[in-house]
C-alpha cells in the first residue's frame, strides 16, 4: 500500500534525477562547444555516425529528464536513463575505475541505479501519471526489471551496431578521450 511518504520519496527522486538528465542533454546542444563539440567527442569515443549519436543522446537525455521530472510514462523514461548510462559506462568511463573524478563509472552507476529504483517505486501520486490516474508500466519488481532490461538491451543493440572505437596497432582499444567540449 502506497503512502504519502512514498509519493514524497518518488517526487524527491524525480526532482533530483529528471532536471539533472535534462540539463546534461541541453548541455550537449547549447553548452561549451555546442552540438559540434558533442559530435567531435562522440566521434573520438567511437560512436558512428557521431552526428546522429550526439543528437540522439541529447534528445534522449532531455526527453527522459522531462518524463522523469513530470512523472510521465511510467518506467520508460527510467529505461532511457539506464540505456544512456550503459552506453556512457561502456564508451567514456570504461577502464577508468570507479571514481568519476578519475573518469570512472561512478556517476553512470548511480544515475542508472536511481532510475531503476524510481521505476520500482513508480512516479507516485504527485506526478502526471498520478494526476491522470494511469499506472503506465506498473511499479515494483516488474517495472524495475523492465527499466533495467529495456535500457540495457537498447544500449547493447546500439553498441553492437554503432560502437567502433579506434584500435592501437597491437589490437587493443585506444583509451577513451577525456571529455573536453561537452558534459554528459
Amino acid at each position: 500500500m502506497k503512502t504519502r511518504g512514498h509519493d514524497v520519496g518518488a517526487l524527491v527522486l524525480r526532482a533530483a534525477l529528471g532536471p539533472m538528465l535534462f540539463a546534461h542533454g541541453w548541455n550537449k546542444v547549447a553548452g561549451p562547444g555546442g552540438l559540434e563539440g558533442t559530435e567531435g567527442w562522440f566521434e573520438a569515443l567511437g560512436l558512428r555516425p557521431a552526428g546522429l549519436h550526439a543528437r540522439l543522446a541529447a534528445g534522449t537525455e532531455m526527453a527522459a529528464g522531462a518524463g522523469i521530472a513530470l512523472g510521465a510514462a511510467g518506467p520508460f523514461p527510467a529505461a532511457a536513463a539506464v540505456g544512456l548510462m550503459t552506453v556512457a559506462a561502456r564508451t567514456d568511463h570504461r577502464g577508468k575505475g570507479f571514481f568519476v573524478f578519475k573518469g570512472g563509472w561512478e556517476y553512470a552507476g548511480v544515475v542508472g541505479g536511481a532510475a531503476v529504483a524510481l521505476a520500482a517505486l513508480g512516479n507516485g501520486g504527485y506526478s502526471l501519471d498520478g494526476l491522470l490516474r494511469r499506472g503506465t508500466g506498473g511499479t515494483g519488481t516488474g517495472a524495475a526489471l523492465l527499466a533495467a532490461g529495456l535500457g540495457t538491451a537498447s544500449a547493447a543493440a546500439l553498441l553492437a551496431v554503432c560502437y567502433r572505437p579506434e584500435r592501437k596497432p597491437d589490437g587493443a582499444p585506444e583509451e577513451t578521450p577525456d571529455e573536453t567540449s561537452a558534459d554528459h
Side-chain angles (χ1 to χ4, degrees), residues 152-169:
T152 302
S154 297
L158 180 141
L159 290 166
V161 173
C162 302
Y163 183 47
R164 302 290 178 262
E166 296 293 323
R167 300 256 174 210
K168 291 181 183 177

Side-chain angles (χ1 to χ4, degrees), residues 14 16-31 34-35 38 41-42 45 47 52-70 76-89 91-93 107-108 111-112 115 179 182-184:
R14 290 190 354 259
L17 188 59
M20 183 273 307
L21 279 172
F22 185 90
H24 277 263
W26 181 254
N27 190 60
K28 283 178 174 60
V29 175
L35 196 54
T38 303
W41 174 39
F42 280 23
L45 289 174
L47 291 166
L52 174 64
H53 288 284
R55 287 164 177 78
L56 282 173
T60 302
E61 279 179 326
M62 288 188 287
I68 287 170
L70 294 171
F76 296 107
V82 169
L84 288 159
M85 294 303 106
T86 301
V87 171
T91 60
D92 194 24
H93 303 287
Y107 165 83
V111 172
E179 183 177 325
D183 187 20
H184 60 290

Side-chain angles (χ1 to χ4, degrees), residues 6 10 34 37 39 51 58 66 77 89 102-103 106 136 153 157 160 163 179:
H6 172 275
E39 287 179 33
K102 293 184 177 183
E106 175 184 19
T136 309
Y163 183 47
E179 183 177 325

